[in-house]
Amino acid sequence: MNKYQQKKNATFPANKKMLSAAVMLAVTGAYFLLQGCSGKADNPSYAASASLPRFNQASFSEYVADTRRWLEDNRVFISDNQAREIALNLPGEYQPEVPNGESVLLVHGLGDSPYSFVDIARHLAGKGYLVRTILLPGHGSKVGDLILPSQADWLGVVHHHSQLLKQVSEKVWLGGYSTGANLVTAEAIQDDDIQGLLLFSPAFKPESDIVSWAGAASLFVTWADQDPEDNYLRYNSLPMNGAAVYYQTSETVRNKLAGNSFQRPVFMMISEGDSVINTQYALQVFTEKMDHPDNVLVWQGETPLNDERAVRFSMKLPEQRISNGSHMGLLFSPDNPEYGISGRNRICDNGQEEGLQLLCAQGEEVWYSAWGYREPGKIHARLTYNPYFAQSMFLLDKVMTAPPAQGEFALKIN
C-alpha cells in the first residue's frame, strides 16, 4: 500500500457533507434518485454477507476461531496478504507475563477494527492485565456488512464478553473508543461488578444533530457515503444503517446517564479539536456524572478546564507539525507501524481543498490535524497518533492503580 495514498478515516460520519445531503434528500422522499447512491452496487465490498458471525460462544478461544473462519469466508481482501489482514481484524487476547488478577475488555468504534487498541492493549498487558478485544458485528469483513447489525447485536457482544471475562478474573474493566465507549458505558451502568471505565473520544453525543435523522434516512437510502475500500484496518465508506445504529447507542447511553451517576473509576481522553463528537457534552458527563475523586480526564487542547481531575496537554506542536488533536489520534503510539510518525497510512482526505489533498497524496510535506481544520499556507493530513501516548498511559495506570514499571518516567502535573 502506498504510504501517501488518499484515505478516509473519521470514525463517524465517514463524510459529513455526504451524510447531511443524503439525509435531507431521504426525508423529502427522493428514494428513486438515491437508490444505490453512487452506482457502485456491483462492487463486492458493498454487498452484505448472508448473515453476521456468532459472538455468544462458550469460550473466547472458540469465539476467535469461529470469527477467523467467518472472515476467511466473507472478507473482501484489500491486499495480497490475506492472512495478515485477517490477523489484524480478528478479536485478540493479550496475555500478561506477570498477571495482576485483573482484566480489560476493549471495544472499537464504528467502521474500525480491534487494531484500534493494539498499542493500549499491549501497554495494559505489560502492566499485568489480561486484555481482550472484540469485533463488533458488521466489521472486519466488508463495508456492506454494516447494513446488517442492530444495536442489540453490538450491546449483546459487549455484554457476553464482559461476562466471559468474569469467569477468569474477579476484576473486569471495560474500555471503548467512540461508539465503543457508548457500548461499554451502557454495560457498566447496568453492571455494578464492572471495576471502571476507560473511554477514548466517547461519542455520547454527535457533533452534528443531522445524524439523528439517519434511522429515517436508512428507509430510503442505503449509503451515507461510498469510497474506494483501500484500508485493511477499517472501512472508508458508511452505510446509513451504520450511522443509524451509532445514533441509537448514543441515545441509549444518554438515557442511562440521565438517571444515574457513575461512581466507579473512569479514565477519559478527549481532543478539543475533535470534529466528530460533541466534546462539551462529554466534558459535562465527566464533571457531573462521573464523580469518583480519582478519575482523570486527559484533555488535548488549549482551553483550560475547571475540573481539578483534568490534565491538559497542548496540541499546538509546531516542532512536530501538529496543529490540533483529532478524534482518532488518541489511540496510537508515535511508534505504531500503521498510524505512527512513520506509519504506512497517511490520511490525506481531511476536509480541505481538493488541490491540497492531491499534494498531500503526492508526498508533499504536511501538517497534522483533526478533520476539517484549515490554515492558510499549510497542507493538513489527519493526525493519527498521540504525541503524549506515554504520558496518557501513565495517567491511565494511575486511575487503575497499577504500579508503575521500574524505571518509568515520573510525570509532573501542574
Side-chain angles (χ1 to χ4, degrees), residues 52 55 136-138 145-157 183 241 244-246 248-249:
L52 292 170
F55 59 75
L136 293 177
D145 287 339
L146 273 180
I147 296 170
L148 301 175
S150 66
Q151 180 183 206
D153 294 317
W154 292 355
L155 290 171
V157 67
L183 298 170
N241 181 67
V245 177
Y246 151 71
Q248 291 166 17
T249 71

Side-chain angles (χ1 to χ4, degrees), residues 110-411:
L110 174 61
D112 285 300
S113 67
Y115 187 82
S116 297
F117 277 109
V118 62
D119 293 334
I120 293 170
R122 287 172 176 166
H123 170 83
L124 288 169
K127 294 295 182 179
Y129 297 91
L130 170 65
V131 183
R132 290 176 180 173
T133 58
I134 57 175
L135 182 68
L136 293 177
H139 293 79
S141 49
K142 52 184 178 292
V143 69
D145 287 339
L146 273 180
I147 296 170
L148 301 175
S150 66
Q151 180 183 206
D153 294 317
W154 292 355
L155 290 171
V157 67
V158 172
H159 175 73
H160 179 73
H161 285 280
S162 65
Q163 297 303 307
L164 279 187
L165 265 181
K166 290 181 182 180
Q167 297 177 12
V168 297
S169 177
E170 292 184 2
K171 296 183 178 181
V172 176
W173 296 75
L174 300 182
Y177 163 59
S178 195
T179 300
N182 296 352
L183 298 170
V184 299
T185 302
E187 176 67 20
I189 288 173
Q190 68 188 23
D191 186 348
D192 292 338
D193 292 332
I194 298 301
Q195 290 295 116
L197 289 168
L198 314 175
L199 305 176
F200 305 84
S201 302
F204 297 152
K205 189 175 184 180
E207 183 271 339
S208 173
D209 290 338
I210 196 71
V211 187
S212 64
W213 291 97
S218 66
L219 300 175
F220 303 98
V221 183
T222 302
W223 294 93
D225 184 37
Q226 284 182 306
D227 289 282
E229 293 297 326
D230 56 8
N231 189 338
Y232 46 77
L233 298 174
R234 72 174 321 276
Y235 300 147
N236 293 337
S237 307
L238 180 64
M240 196 65 76
N241 181 67
V245 177
Y246 151 71
Y247 189 74
Q248 291 166 17
T249 71
S250 74
E251 284 188 311
T252 294
V253 76
R254 289 198 303 273
N255 289 338
K256 288 181 177 292
L257 286 166
N260 298 276
S261 62
F262 191 83
Q263 298 179 347
R264 285 158 279 165
V266 175
F267 171 86
M268 185 184 291
M269 184 155 50
I270 303 175
S271 168
E272 183 177 21
D274 194 322
S275 60
V276 176
I277 66 171
N278 186 318
T279 57
Q280 292 305 308
Y281 181 80
L283 291 174
Q284 180 182 348
V285 168
F286 182 86
T287 299
E288 298 179 2
K289 297 291 186 177
M290 298 173 168
D291 52 7
H292 194 286
D294 294 330
N295 288 353
V296 170
L297 169 66
V298 174
W299 176 245
Q300 291 192 345
E302 312 315 309
T303 304
L305 301 180
N306 292 326
D307 197 317
E308 63 182 11
R309 301 168 301 168
V311 179
R312 183 175 66 87
F313 295 112
S314 172
M315 292 302 290
K316 290 189 180 298
L317 303 171
E319 69 279 5
Q320 299 184 53
R321 301 197 308 278
I322 293 174
S323 294
N324 67 355
S326 72
H327 184 68
M328 71 171 291
L330 308 179
L331 300 172
F332 299 101
S333 162
D335 298 324
N336 184 276
E338 298 291 339
Y339 291 129
I341 293 174
S342 301
R344 301 180 184 93
N345 288 292
R346 172 185 284 185
I347 301 176
C348 292
D349 189 343
N350 201 36
Q352 55 190 330
E353 291 89 347
E354 186 174 344
L356 296 181
Q357 180 175 316
L358 180 60
L359 290 174
C360 170
Q362 292 173 345
E364 291 291 325
E365 182 178 85
V366 299
W367 286 63
Y368 299 94
S369 71
W371 189 94
Y373 180 85
R374 299 184 182 189
E375 193 174 325
K378 293 179 181 177
I379 305 169
H380 279 90
R382 192 77 46 80
L383 179 62
T384 55
Y385 68 91
N386 182 355
Y388 301 104
F389 185 81
Q391 294 94 322
S392 300
M393 293 301 98
F394 180 90
L395 291 165
L396 181 146
D397 296 341
K398 181 175 179 285
V399 172
M400 301 177 78
T401 65
Q406 186 175 1
E408 188 171 7
F409 67 92
L411 178 67

